[in-house]
Amino acid sequence: MHGYEMIQEIGERSGGAWKPSPGSVYPTLQLLEDEGLITSASEGGKKLFTLTDSGRTEAESGAEAPWEEAGRGVDWESMNEIRQAGFGLMEAFGQVWKTGTAEQRQKALGVINDARKKLYLILADED
């Protein structure tokens, strides 16, 4: 696989709970290659990575895959509700920002800032 495919695969295997950034994946791949645990080859303009025999042995003897732990105990139904609410909020804000007057934009900005503050107050157990 190449790095981007690995990022997508980890996201899928964790059920969306963990999607590592390219800034963490590519340096890790370089480190693994430097340690002789993977090899790379350029193919079609992409760098493909493959486990070496020692890399496969190391992977098989290691701990549980981190993506399995990342998705454990997540309430996916609630997570989807939260995502949909967030996306809906940002969609409405974007619509006001694109088509609203300067006054409407300022009001929308105030609503977003108030919502952010209220969410933090929930964590602080304050009303």
Side-chain angles (χ1 to χ4, degrees):
M1 274 186 210
H2 57 77
Y4 179 74
E5 287 175 319
M6 289 181 206
I7 292 169
Q8 297 300 100
E9 184 73 19
I10 291 169
E12 287 177 24
R13 288 187 186 195
S14 70
W18 179 37
K19 187 174 179 187
S21 70
S24 64
V25 169
Y26 290 103
T28 301
L29 290 171
Q30 185 60 56
L31 177 67
L32 292 171
E33 189 170 23
D34 292 346
E35 292 178 359
L37 299 173
I38 62 173
T39 60
S40 66
S42 292
E43 190 174 293
K46 296 178 181 179
K47 197 171 186 180
L48 298 176
F49 298 92
T50 306
L51 282 170
T52 62
D53 289 341
S54 60
R56 188 169 310 284
T57 300
E58 187 72 26
E60 290 170 355
S61 69
E64 183 177 28
W67 51 81
E68 291 174 10
E69 180 65 31
R72 202 173 281 137
V74 175
D75 180 351
W76 294 110
E77 189 173 323
S78 293
M79 181 69 78
N80 285 332
E81 286 179 42
I82 291 167
R83 284 183 179 160
Q84 290 303 315
F87 291 146
L89 177 64
M90 291 312 297
E91 187 176 327
F93 181 75
Q95 190 66 32
V96 171
W97 205 256
K98 289 176 191 172
T99 62
T101 65
E103 183 180 340
Q104 290 170 327
R105 288 179 182 176
Q106 286 306 308
K107 285 180 183 179
L109 193 57
V111 167
I112 294 289
N113 286 330
D114 286 345
R116 181 175 37 83
K117 290 173 189 172
K118 287 179 180 180
L119 288 171
Y120 282 120
L121 288 173
I122 290 170
L123 287 176
D125 288 327
E126 295 179 18
D127 292 325

